[in-house]
Amino acid sequence: MLTTDYVPGSPNWLDLGSPDTAASAAFYGALLGWTFASAGPAAGGYGFFQQDGRTVAALGPLTEEGATSAWTIYFRTTDADRTTAAVERAGGKVRFAPFDVFTNGRMAGYTDPTGADFAVWQPHDTVGLDAVTDPGTLCWTECYSTDAEAGKAFYRAVFDWQEQDVPFGDVTYTVLTPAGGGTDDGQGGIMQLGPEQTAAGTTSHWLPYFEVLDPDACTATAERLGATVRIPPTDFHGVGRLAQIVDPHGAVLAVIRSAQPGQ
């Protein structure tokens, strides 16, 4: 379970890159009840999604050449420069080198050897998101990979994550926890993309999950607002009821009503 006790290797930030930040702010405001607060004129259009005054995600314009709209998940690091060196040693690509974000922290962005983008946040004044796991906030992170074994080896080398393989239908799902974490500290997972998914053009990517009270109503709202549904609301025993949505600009997210103990 995600918490705001951000230990090294745990998800502590996420943001959305959009070609139309005003439209994206309106979409997610209607979908998840968020408000948008600009970080100010010096931030280049970047700002924060908030719920009840707490920052739950962020939003900014696309800045990388050829970039398409996507959610980027950040993992906590104590040293972004050292993590960058570890990424390169493990065969990853540096999308943007470490740099300071005012006095808030230091960040860097990467692509893993299978093609999934992610980033790291080294906190200073800003530790991370103000809320996770609550309705309307990030509750899980998941990597769909064209080569799950290679992905696991890479992230093990970079973050020293612990892994637990769990049967999931006809495939194996690998639950990830930070180094030294216990069975209740799961923060995400890695799953192999199937042949039909890769044939359809799906590439390796990280997917954020947001906790919601009613996945069916949320999915219907998303469609009404111009999104498409990648996976309709579906029950998964021991996991919850979830759906995957592609927002109007192409960014993929999941919404879930997590199963309670015993469900």
Side-chain angles (χ1 to χ4, degrees):
M1 182 179 73
L2 300 190
T3 74
T4 53
D5 179 19
Y6 297 118
V7 298
S10 64
N12 65 342
W13 195 257
L14 84 160
D15 57 24
L16 173 67
S18 172
D20 187 336
T21 55
S24 291
F27 174 81
Y28 286 96
L31 185 69
L32 296 171
W34 294 344
T35 59
F36 179 72
S38 171
Y46 197 84
F48 310 110
F49 283 124
Q50 296 186 321
Q51 178 177 271
D52 300 326
R54 303 178 300 174
T55 296
V56 296
L59 167 67
L62 296 174
T63 56
E64 297 178 61
E65 185 176 352
T68 56
S69 188
W71 284 98
T72 299
I73 298 170
Y74 293 67
F75 301 97
R76 187 187 189 279
T77 180
T78 57
D79 188 328
D81 297 86
R82 184 176 298 174
T83 300
T84 299
V87 166
E88 292 181 306
R89 284 196 305 271
K93 175 184 175 183
V94 178
R95 289 178 20 248
F96 54 88
F99 68 93
D100 292 320
V101 183
F102 307 111
T103 61
N104 297 302
R106 189 165 175 80
M107 64 183 286
Y110 317 108
T111 304
D112 78 18
T114 78
D117 291 341
F118 69 103
V120 294
W121 180 252
Q122 177 186 338
H124 297 313
D125 293 346
T126 300
V127 175
L129 302 173
D130 293 331
V132 295
T133 305
D134 297 335
T137 70
L138 180 71
C139 65
W140 192 252
T141 63
E142 195 166 83
C143 183
Y144 283 83
S145 181
T146 56
D147 188 339
E149 291 303 316
K152 287 191 284 186
F154 170 80
Y155 291 107
R156 193 184 312 127
V158 173
F159 293 119
D160 197 26
W161 285 339
Q162 298 174 176
E163 304 165 8
Q164 180 183 6
D165 288 340
V166 179
F168 193 72
D170 296 331
V171 300
T172 297
Y173 189 91
T174 301
V175 177
L176 305 170
T177 60
T183 56
D184 293 335
D185 298 323
Q187 64 184 32
I190 293 181
M191 179 180 285
Q192 177 72 38
L193 284 167
E196 69 286 353
Q197 293 169 301
T198 54
T202 303
T203 57
S204 296
H205 61 283
W206 278 94
L207 178 72
Y209 278 67
F210 298 99
E211 187 73 27
V212 297
L213 297 175
D214 190 337
D216 296 79
C218 193
T219 302
T221 297
E223 288 187 290
R224 189 173 67 251
L225 295 170
T228 56
V229 177
R230 189 163 80 169
I231 297 178
T234 306
D235 290 316
F236 292 93
H237 179 70
V239 175
R241 187 167 178 81
L242 65 89
Q244 292 185 10
I245 297 165
V246 183
D247 79 14
H249 295 297
V252 184
L253 65 145
V255 295
I256 184 171
R257 182 179 64 236
S258 298
Q260 299 304 304
Q263 291 184 326

